[in-house]
């Protein structure tokens, strides 16, 4: 009789625990009456529509991992979809949205505009991506699962992407009832790939290929630390579109001429971040082969401080980046973890030492949003750590770990017909786009 037991992969256990704790943010901060999700754990936090998009994407992962019952996930999903499908779309200053888009921040109880926030094109895109993922996952024949699909299609179909072009080619960043369209539009390499694919594949108000061309027209290709890379400093830019879109082995015209794809580009960007931390040109504490991850995150807001005799400015909540900054010594564990699919050989060793690095131990929501080993505060001069957790950090942790482990979200979205159509209209080809989508391709 053999006494040999199946080996337990310690990394698998570590990732499972990290996923479970990170996901627990969403059931803790979802409104049970309307399915809306608080932007952060900070007291009096509003809802953010991106938080809802990440929650809708995380629920299927949680069901498959056993973190949440399918019936509970379906209930949260339906409440959110029903809310947005019925939401005020008059563009009123105290409304919910306009032209199919939604205000960035909403009041948790009423669901109406908070903080005089803008009508956000990118956050609406994140929300819609979450809805389409839910429509793919809840594919059953029951009335409630059919309702998920109908509501997701309804909300997506009424988004007027052409209006958001504001007479030009590129899509505007936002609009407000007080000032109209923002002057800035989505140009240059940023997280807007997920927006343009939706806009190109839309069932009603779809945009033309000129919109995508406007986005790529100002791309900056650089050589950094021996890596040829399409540059963006903050890591989240290299991650957010990959939450939903499987960009492995498919390329648009820009990437095809460079014999690369956006997945490979994100892998290189991850290496650039690590190399920047190893070089540590500003001399911050905690930067090394395991201490890296500059992105948009909360940080200390202490004005100018001295670190090892050198004056540095702190930024509070800011998009930090490498290697050109800004950088005040603040590192974001979630940005490391969300790079797991691109460079597991770098990320897994960093995760293994994370608890000792950021002081989170067995934190309820997985890990601190950010920490700064160079900044000390309090009577005990303890390391600065973010007191709050953010939904747009928690979601990428949950989903990108799963994309690394099983590719669940990528596989579901491959079969989403608007996603495929949007990629093809943007000029993507190769890889899985060559495959026959089959009769079940839909959203």
């Amino acid at each position: 009789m053999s006494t040999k037991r199946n080996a337990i992969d310690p990394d698998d256990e570590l990732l499972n625990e990290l996923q479970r704790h990170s996901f627990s943010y969403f059931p803790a901060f979802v409104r049970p009456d309307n399915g809306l999700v608080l932007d952060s754990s900070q007291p009096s936090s509003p809802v953010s529509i991106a938080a809802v998009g990440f929650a809708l994407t995380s629920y299927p992962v949680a069901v498959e991992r056993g973190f949440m019952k399918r019936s509970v996930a379906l209930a949260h999903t339906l409440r959110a979809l029903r809310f947005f499908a019925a939401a005020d779309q008059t563009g009123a200053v105290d409304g919910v949205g306009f032209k199919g888009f939604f205000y960035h921040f909403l009041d948790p109880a009423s669901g109406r505009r908070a903080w005089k926030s803008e009508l956000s094109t990118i956050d609406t895109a994140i929300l819609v991506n979450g809805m389409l993922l839910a429509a793919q996952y809840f594919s059953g024949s029951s009335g409630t699962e059919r309702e998920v699909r109908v509501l997701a299609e309804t909300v997506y179909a009424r988004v007027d992407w052409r209006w958001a072009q504001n007479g030009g080619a590129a899509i505007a960043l936002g609009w407000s009832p007080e000032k109209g369209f923002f002057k800035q539009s989505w140009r240059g390499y940023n997280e807007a790939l997920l927006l343009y694919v939706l806009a190109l594949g839309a069932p009603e108000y779809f945009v033309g290929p000129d919109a995508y061309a406007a986005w790529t027209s100002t791309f900056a290709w650089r050589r950094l630390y021996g890596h040829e890379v399409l540059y963006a400093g903050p890591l989240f830019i290299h991650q957010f579109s990959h939450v939903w879109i499987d960009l492995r082995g498919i390329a648009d015209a820009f990437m095809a001429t460079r014999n690369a794809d956006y997945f490979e580009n994100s892998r290189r960007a991850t290496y650039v971040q690590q190399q920047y931390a190893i070089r540590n040109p500003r001399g911050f504490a905690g930067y090394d082969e395991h201490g890296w991850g500059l992105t948009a995150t909360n940080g200390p807001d202490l004005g100018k401080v001295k670190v090892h005799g050198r004056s540095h400015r702190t930024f509070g909540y800011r998009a930090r980046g490498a290697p050109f900054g800004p950088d005040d010594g603040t590192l974001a564990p979630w940005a490391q973890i969300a790079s797991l699919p691109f460079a597991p050989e770098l990320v897994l060793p960093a995760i293994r030492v994370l608890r000792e690095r950021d002081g989170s131990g067995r934190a309820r929501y997985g890990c601190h949003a950010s920490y700064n080993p160079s900044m000390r505060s309090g009577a005990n001069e303890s390391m600065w750590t973010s007191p709050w957790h953010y939904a747009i950090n928690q979601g990428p942790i949950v989903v990108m770990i799963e994309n690394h482990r099983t590719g669940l979200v990528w596989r579901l979205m491959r079969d989403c017909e608007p996603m495929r159509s949007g990629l093809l209209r943007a000029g993507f080809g190769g890889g899985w786009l060559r495959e026959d989508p089959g009769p079940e391709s839909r959203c």
Side-chain angles (χ1 to χ4, degrees):
M1 180 178 176
S2 173
T3 58
K4 186 176 180 179
R5 297 181 178 179
N6 292 331
I8 298 175
D9 184 344
D11 285 337
D12 194 59
E13 283 194 324
L14 178 63
L15 293 177
N16 201 63
E17 182 179 340
L18 184 54
Q19 260 187 312
R20 179 167 54 85
H21 284 295
S22 298
F23 173 75
S24 66
Y25 175 94
F26 294 107
F29 293 101
V30 65
R31 292 276 306 194
D33 53 341
N34 56 24
L36 302 181
V37 179
L38 298 187
D39 177 61
S40 76
S41 61
Q42 188 171 3
S44 301
S45 171
V47 164
S48 81
I49 59 173
V52 181
F54 279 115
L56 293 174
T57 309
S58 298
Y59 293 148
V61 175
V63 173
E64 294 300 305
R65 287 286 163 190
F67 306 154
M68 175 178 275
K69 291 181 179 179
R70 187 182 182 94
S71 59
V72 176
L74 179 57
H76 287 320
T77 298
L78 265 178
R79 290 187 190 106
L81 287 168
R82 287 168 179 166
F83 170 83
F84 286 105
D88 179 290
Q89 278 283 311
T90 64
V93 295
D94 62 345
V96 184
F98 187 49
K99 295 289 185 178
F101 294 92
F102 299 98
Y103 291 118
H104 190 165
F105 296 108
L106 305 174
D107 177 81
S110 70
R112 293 187 171 272
R113 185 188 186 202
W115 292 353
K116 291 188 176 181
S117 58
E118 82 285 9
L119 196 81
S120 174
T121 54
I122 191 66
D123 292 281
T124 298
I126 291 172
L127 173 63
V128 171
N129 267 300
M131 291 180 176
L132 296 181
L133 185 279
Q136 286 296 111
Y137 183 72
F138 292 109
S139 58
S141 60
S142 69
T144 50
E145 297 208 10
R146 285 199 303 270
E147 186 181 357
V148 167
R149 300 194 291 274
V150 169
L151 292 176
E153 291 166 4
T154 298
V155 174
Y156 181 31
R158 74 185 182 195
V159 180
D160 194 341
W161 305 100
R162 296 173 190 171
W163 170 79
Q165 290 177 289
N166 191 27
I171 292 173
L173 266 68
W175 174 92
S176 76
E178 293 87 2
K179 298 182 179 179
F181 281 106
F182 287 17
K183 292 181 180 180
Q184 302 91 343
S185 58
W186 289 105
R187 293 177 181 269
Y189 185 53
N190 47 47
E191 66 273 27
L193 177 59
L194 64 89
L195 177 150
Y196 279 107
V197 170
L198 282 182
L200 286 158
E204 296 290 339
Y205 305 105
F206 55 86
V207 300
D210 61 323
Y212 190 78
W215 179 60
T216 62
S217 63
T218 54
F219 278 8
W221 192 257
R222 297 179 181 272
R223 184 173 179 82
L224 300 170
Y225 308 136
H227 297 282
E228 298 284 341
V229 64
L230 175 56
Y231 176 72
L235 264 178
F236 83 93
I237 288 176
H238 298 282
Q239 297 165 343
F240 269 26
S241 295
H242 298 262
V243 169
W244 295 277
I245 309 174
D246 184 0
L247 291 159
R248 297 172 298 176
I250 64 173
D252 61 6
F254 180 88
M255 281 296 178
T257 61
R258 289 158 179 81
N259 295 315
D261 58 48
Y262 289 97
F263 186 90
E264 168 62 20
N265 191 73
S266 293
R267 186 190 71 82
R268 296 176 188 178
T270 304
Y271 269 85
V272 167
Q273 284 258 344
Q274 188 204 45
Q275 287 301 310
Y276 171 78
I278 291 171
R279 287 165 171 77
N280 194 12
R282 291 174 172 81
F284 289 119
Y287 282 40
D288 56 24
E289 69 273 18
H290 300 319
W292 49 272
L294 276 70
T295 195
T297 195
N298 190 28
D301 191 2
L302 307 172
K304 286 189 175 181
V305 297
K306 283 194 173 183
V307 178
H308 302 306
R310 296 171 62 182
S311 180
H312 295 280
R313 180 186 169 194
T314 56
F315 301 112
Y317 199 102
R318 183 77 175 270
R320 296 161 175 82
F324 304 120
D327 180 14
D328 62 359
T330 301
L331 300 174
W334 74 268
Q336 286 184 306
I337 300 162
S339 287
L340 181 61
F342 311 128
E345 68 279 8
L346 302 188
V347 176
L348 279 171
I351 293 175
R352 293 183 195 121
V353 302
L354 179 58
R355 285 175 175 165
E356 289 73 29
R357 291 293 182 100
D358 83 333
S360 61
R362 294 183 178 274
R364 183 176 180 183
Y365 304 123
C367 56
H368 290 299
S370 50
Y371 67 105
N372 190 316
S374 296
M375 306 296 162
R376 303 283 166 171
S377 61
N380 297 325
E381 287 292 300
S382 57
M383 176 180 68
W384 183 91
T385 56
S386 174
W388 319 119
H389 291 78
Y390 297 84
I392 62 170
N393 302 354
Q394 303 297 120
I397 293 174
V398 174
V399 181
M400 292 299 266
I401 288 177
E402 194 60 34
N403 279 337
H404 169 71
R405 298 173 88 181
T406 68
L408 173 66
V409 173
W410 287 339
R411 286 188 284 107
L412 288 168
M413 293 302 277
R414 278 186 185 189
D415 291 332
C416 179
E417 192 278 330
M419 182 68 69
R420 174 182 288 268
S421 296
L423 288 166
L424 291 172
R425 291 172 184 170
F428 280 83
W432 59 268
L433 283 172
R434 294 195 192 102
E435 301 169 5
D436 182 357
E440 297 302 317
S441 181
R442 54 160 179 78
C443 266

